[in-house]
Amino acid sequence: MEHTKCLIIGSGPAGYTAAIYASRANLHPIEYSGLQPGGQLTQTTEVENFPGYPQGVDGNQMMMDIREQAERFGADIRDGEIVKVDFSKAPYVCTAENGTEIEAETVIIATGASAMYLGLEDERKYNGQGVSACATCDGFFYRKKTVAVVGGGDTACEDALYLSGLAKKVYMVVRKPFLRASKVMQQRVREAENIEILFEHNTLGLYGENGVEGAHLVKRKGEPDEELVDIAIDGFFLAIGHKPNTDIFKEWLDTDEMGYLKKIEGTPRTKLPGVFVAGDCADPVYRQAISAAGSGCQAAIEAERYLMNQ
């Protein structure tokens, strides 16, 4: 069994930033990068809103840069996934998919969240070419264009309103005959002149030569008056929710109803001493690279202070 002062589970802006700070504090962290090394940003193309890249940067390149910075300070970053944790007593024992067991004095959880998709083959085909699960990340690329937002909850309404300030027109593709969002959000969407709500519509697929040019929809699917509808769009935004990657921790840590890990308010600490959280696995609100990186910094500083006080 290996032993470490600090084990970081997951990568992305949160995990890699935690590794930078933990390494500089001489904690000699071990980090497992998880199923998706670099996190959700590796699924996007250009990132324009992260400080320090005035011309923008490819999401994969940015994650490689931050990883390289962590490794320069001595972080032991490993490809692979932690599949089991035992938080019954400290030091905590975590097991990797290859069977390696690591005894950790502190653990930083930065496993992120995965955007929920409709399951269409076209979503993969046009990923990064018109399909996005983050309006605030990618909306800027659709100024004065036409986009569609899939979903009928608060997140979908927020995304539609955000995009309405940039795009020429925003369609909301809503499966049900009503919006599930709060009354105030419904009212704001209805008052926006360039938002059109398509109730009782399901997406069948997307089309386009060099990126998304439109969507194939079906209205009132399965009903006698079922109707096929095509809409011309430049961007297709998923807003049907995110699933935090927290299943292996639920036995030991508190989560909200969606599965996001709960932390002591205003800190990255959990109810277990020496276990900290960072990034989207504990953030259903902001879900930005910069906020994730900041939380990774906080978690590493808290881990260092915890160890100093032991």
Side-chain angles (χ1 to χ4, degrees):
M1 183 181 293
E2 293 186 63
H3 182 89
T4 183
K5 290 182 180 179
C6 180
L7 174 66
I8 302 168
I9 305 176
S11 51
Y16 288 155
T17 302
I20 291 171
Y21 277 79
S23 297
R24 284 172 54 83
N26 287 326
L27 302 188
H28 308 291
I30 295 173
E31 177 176 10
Y32 276 82
S33 57
L35 275 176
Q36 190 177 53
Q40 292 183 76
L41 275 187
T42 60
Q43 297 297 302
T44 188
T45 49
E46 192 166 8
V47 179
E48 291 193 326
N49 56 1
F50 197 91
Y53 294 97
Q55 304 304 318
V57 62
D58 176 81
N60 277 285
Q61 184 62 51
M62 189 174 91
M63 289 301 94
M64 288 168 60
D65 289 345
I66 303 178
R67 175 172 176 153
E68 184 180 332
Q69 189 174 358
E71 289 177 324
R72 182 167 74 88
F73 292 118
D76 180 357
I77 301 178
R78 305 174 181 180
D79 292 331
E81 188 181 4
I82 295 294
V83 295
K84 180 183 176 183
V85 298
D86 182 354
F87 289 168
S88 58
K89 65 181 188 300
Y92 304 113
V93 177
C94 303
T95 306
E97 59 187 339
N98 64 359
T100 300
E101 290 188 327
I102 298 172
E103 188 181 62
E105 295 177 44
T106 63
V107 177
I108 296 174
I109 301 169
T111 47
S114 300
M116 295 171 66
Y117 287 81
L118 297 172
L120 303 173
E121 185 61 36
D122 287 340
E123 290 172 315
R124 294 182 182 179
K125 177 181 177 181
Y126 294 106
N127 192 22
Q129 299 182 68
V131 171
S132 172
C134 183
T136 50
C137 305
D138 299 326
F140 185 76
F141 300 114
Y142 297 92
R143 288 172 297 171
K144 302 190 185 309
K145 295 184 178 182
T146 300
V147 298
V149 175
V150 179
D154 278 331
T155 299
C157 288
E158 288 172 8
D159 285 0
L161 286 165
Y162 174 79
L163 291 166
S164 72
L166 298 166
K168 177 176 63 177
K169 183 178 180 66
V170 179
Y171 290 104
M172 285 190 70
V173 181
V174 183
R175 188 166 48 91
K176 297 181 180 294
F178 56 85
L179 293 172
R180 293 181 292 104
S182 59
K183 296 296 182 185
V184 64
M185 292 303 296
Q186 291 187 41
Q187 183 178 346
R188 288 174 184 169
V189 164
R190 294 180 193 279
E191 289 175 352
E193 293 182 357
N194 61 338
I195 297 179
E196 180 180 346
I197 307 173
L198 303 176
F199 287 114
E200 296 185 275
H201 281 68
N202 285 272
T203 306
L204 296 176
L206 304 168
Y207 62 88
E209 290 296 320
N210 299 306
V212 171
E213 295 176 4
H216 300 301
L217 310 177
V218 57
K219 182 179 181 181
R220 290 180 56 78
K221 184 178 181 181
E223 299 298 324
D225 57 348
E226 177 180 299
E227 179 185 355
L228 297 178
V229 179
D230 283 358
I231 55 172
I233 55 172
D234 304 291
F236 185 77
F237 288 86
L238 282 303
I240 55 177
H242 285 71
K243 183 184 185 301
N245 304 318
T246 58
D247 287 349
I248 65 170
F249 309 110
K250 289 181 179 178
E251 179 183 352
W252 311 101
L253 298 173
D254 294 333
T255 66
D256 66 10
E257 64 277 5
M258 296 295 293
Y260 288 93
L261 295 171
K262 288 186 177 180
K263 51 190 177 181
I264 297 171
E265 191 171 351
T267 78
R269 299 193 297 269
T270 69
K271 69 177 185 180
L272 294 180
V275 178
F276 309 94
V277 293
D280 288 11
C281 65
D283 177 16
V285 179
Y286 299 106
R287 299 198 305 268
Q288 297 298 299
I290 189 66
S291 54
S295 68
C297 160
Q298 292 174 339
I301 290 174
E302 287 287 343
E304 179 192 9
R305 289 175 178 171
Y306 170 82
L307 290 168
M308 286 177 62
N309 291 327
Q310 293 303 298

